[in-house]
């Protein structure tokens, strides 16, 4: 049997045949399709010749399908349905309404703006899957470089020297600015003060994040303390902010941390502002400049509206 040549067969031929069947004849189908009845009849005859069998039994009134025609139109309906679904899916993907976005987060964004950003984005794009990974800043930068994540949230000072070889490698937008706060055990001798000078902390034992994980934060804390006339005495390092707070609550020392930690409401810990001028830490959303994802664009618009 010679294999049919489908080169000239179009979706409209399937639609024509379905219309003739559904409207029970060429006259009603032509009116429904808003085309000439003679043209419609010729198109159906051409289709039947192309596929090698008759779709309609023209000897019966009203017009009936042949057995082969019945099977053919069932398949034709399924084809048209799948094409429509594919077009709809493609349109939704092109608008960024479906798909996924890989995002790196740190403690600061998680304790501050992240819930608000996630709610706002989900309200607009409920079918987009957001994959969140808790990562240190240097890990986020590495994964951004290697296209393992689409977006990262970390402090702007971590962007220093990143664009040394290519000034346009990363782009960013600001999310929030926050100061540092002093973290004390609730029974500390300075607990009744609303603000404390850094100089008053010169003899305190400090619990701080390690240099290898949060180098720039430690650098800022060291610099701030040196400006106040002392180098912090670090009794213990802890990688996780929750661990730092637990150690402070246990009376092992005090800490200096980004202000977002106040949202954690850790029992046994109190937060006090720094007397005088405190540096502001800027939290930014960072992405590769060559990432043209429409989902990323939509996510950045949500951030911009909330920032």
């Amino acid at each position: 049997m010679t294999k049919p040549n489908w080169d000239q067969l179009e979706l409209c031929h399937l639609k024509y045949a379905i219309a003739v069947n559904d409207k029970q004849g060429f006259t009603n189908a032509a009116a429904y399709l808003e085309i000439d009845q003679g043209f419609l009849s010729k198109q159906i005859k051409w289709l039947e010749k192309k596929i090698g069998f008759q779709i309609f039994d023209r000897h019966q009134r009203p017009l009936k399908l042949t057995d082969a025609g019945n099977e053919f139109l069932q398949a034709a309906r399924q084809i048209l349905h799948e094409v429509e679904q594919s077009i709809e899916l493609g349109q939704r993907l092109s608008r960024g309404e479906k798909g996924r976005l890989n995002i790196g987060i740190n403690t600061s964004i998680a304790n501050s703006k992240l819930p608000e950003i996630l709610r706002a984005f989900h309200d607009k794009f409920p079918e987009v899957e957001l994959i969140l990974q808790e990562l240190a800043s240097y890990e986020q930068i590495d994964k951004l470089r290697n296209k393992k994540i689409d977006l990262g949230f970390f402090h702007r000072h971590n962007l220093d020297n990143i664009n040394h070889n290519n000034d346009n490698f990363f782009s960013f937008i600001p999310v929030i600015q926050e100061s540092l706060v002093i973290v004390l055990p609730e029974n500390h001798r300075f607990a009744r003060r609303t603000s404390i000078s850094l100089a008053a902390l010169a003899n305190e034992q400090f619990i701080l994040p390690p240099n290898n994980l949060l180098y720039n934060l430690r650098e800022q804390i060291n610099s701030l303390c040196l400006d106040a006339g002392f180098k912090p005495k670090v009794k213990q390092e802890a990688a996780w902010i929750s661990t730092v707070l637990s150690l402070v609550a246990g009376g092992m020392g005090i800490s200096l941390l980004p202000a977002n930690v106040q949202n954690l409401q850790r029992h046994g810990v109190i937060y006090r502002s720094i007397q005088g001028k405190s540096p502001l830490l800027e939290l930014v959303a960072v992405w590769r400049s060559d990432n043209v994802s429409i989902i990323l664009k939509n996510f950045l618009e949500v951030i911009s509206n909330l920032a």
Side-chain angles (χ1 to χ4, degrees), residues 183-192 248-251 253 266-272:
V183 186
L184 304 171
E186 61 182 357
N187 60 353
H188 195 276
R189 67 183 187 280
F190 293 150
R192 294 186 178 182
V248 172
R266 177 67 168 80
H267 180 70
V269 165
I270 58 174
Y271 306 101
R272 296 294 180 262

Side-chain angles (χ1 to χ4, degrees), residues 160-177:
D160 293 346
N161 301 320
I162 286 180
N163 289 334
H164 179 72
N165 295 323
N166 184 348
D167 291 338
N168 297 317
F169 193 81
F170 288 121
S171 297
F172 70 91
I173 56 173
V175 181
I176 57 170
Q177 286 187 326

Side-chain angles (χ1 to χ4, degrees), residues 36 40-41 106 126 183 192 267 286:
D36 180 73
L40 176 59
S41 180
N106 64 3
V183 186
R192 294 186 178 182
H267 180 70
V286 184

Side-chain angles (χ1 to χ4, degrees), residues 219-230:
E219 190 177 40
Q220 283 197 314
I221 291 172
N222 289 339
S223 176
L224 201 60
C225 291
L226 287 173
D227 288 344
F230 71 98

Side-chain angles (χ1 to χ4, degrees), residues 11 80 83-84 130 141 240 244 279 286:
L11 294 177
L80 290 177
V83 169
E84 288 170 0
L130 299 178
I141 292 167
W240 299 100
V244 174
V286 184

